[in-house]
Amino acid sequence: MSVPRDIHLSVLSTGIFALATALIMTLYDQGMTRLHGRMDAANWWVLPLSYLAVLVLQDAYFYATHRLFHHPKLFRWFHQGHHRSRQPTPWTSFAFDPLEAGVQALFLIGVVMLIPLHFATLLAVLTTMTVWAVVNHLGLEVLPLRFPHHWLGRWVIGPAHHSIHHRRHGKHFGLYFTFWDWVFGSEDPAYADALQPSALVRPGA
């Protein structure tokens, strides 16, 4: 475990994301983004729809870049820092190498320039990204063993799902959803079987 190194990379990543935020606000002041603060009671459904749309787009972007960064010629420069801890901790959540942090920050800059988003929607996306990353680096014990067998657990990435990636680098590249891992064959077929709901049943129950 390399918590000090994870903290160091997390601080660097925080600085890069802060610079991206400053750039977004500068672009907003110049009218170059599609961020807005308008609330229309007749179109309230746009807020949750845009929120889900950004999550889906971010998940696809993250899967593609994450898998690309595992290429032997790129891994050392873009992603090695995140894998220094074989057993991840919350500090590992944003322990990105600077180049990877920059690539992930580019998504946020691009999305506010291309998609009409309410400020509340952007805040919800950033909150989800942060909480999801931390939870998925906590370990196997956070969610019940039956979660992978639940209908939600079959589509949504949890800590057990992501912890496999830190042990087997060629599996589980997604951020929020299991969809892309399933489509491109990077889903570990033993993932759900290894976490059987029967393990929760008490003897004689």
Side-chain angles (χ1 to χ4, degrees), residues 24-180:
I24 288 173
M25 298 313 299
T26 299
L27 294 173
Y28 172 76
D29 288 340
Q30 296 179 357
M32 297 176 66
T33 74
R34 306 195 71 181
L35 284 170
H36 64 86
R38 301 184 303 275
M39 292 291 288
D40 189 344
N43 295 323
W44 63 268
W45 52 270
V46 173
L47 293 181
L49 184 63
S50 60
Y51 168 75
L52 290 174
V54 173
L55 290 189
V56 170
L57 287 173
Q58 187 180 23
D59 189 60
Y61 179 87
F62 185 87
Y63 180 92
T65 56
H66 188 189
R67 191 160 186 177
L68 179 65
F69 295 158
H70 272 269
H71 189 282
K73 292 185 178 180
L74 298 177
F75 184 77
R76 177 185 175 186
W77 303 101
F78 283 85
H79 198 54
Q80 182 172 270
H82 188 73
H83 281 280
R84 292 190 186 280
S85 294
R86 186 171 175 81
Q87 294 297 327
T89 71
W91 288 108
T92 314
S93 307
F94 290 94
F96 298 140
D97 288 308
L99 289 175
E100 180 177 16
V103 170
Q104 300 307 329
L106 282 176
F107 172 83
L108 298 174
I109 297 171
V111 79
V112 300
M113 296 183 70
L114 297 174
I115 300 177
L117 289 179
H118 193 280
F119 281 106
T121 303
L122 179 60
L123 179 61
V125 169
L126 293 174
T127 301
T128 301
M129 178 182 72
T130 302
V131 172
W132 211 290
V134 171
V135 168
N136 283 343
H137 288 85
L138 289 178
L140 297 177
E141 76 285 351
V142 179
L143 296 174
L145 294 181
R146 64 170 57 94
F147 181 74
H149 305 272
H150 188 271
W151 69 267
L152 183 62
R154 294 180 184 274
W155 292 98
V156 173
I157 291 173
H161 188 278
H162 186 68
S163 67
I164 290 173
H165 176 71
H166 281 266
R167 298 195 302 272
R168 301 181 62 193
H169 293 187
K171 300 294 182 182
H172 297 189
F173 296 98
L175 178 62
Y176 302 121
F177 310 114
T178 62
F179 176 77
W180 296 113

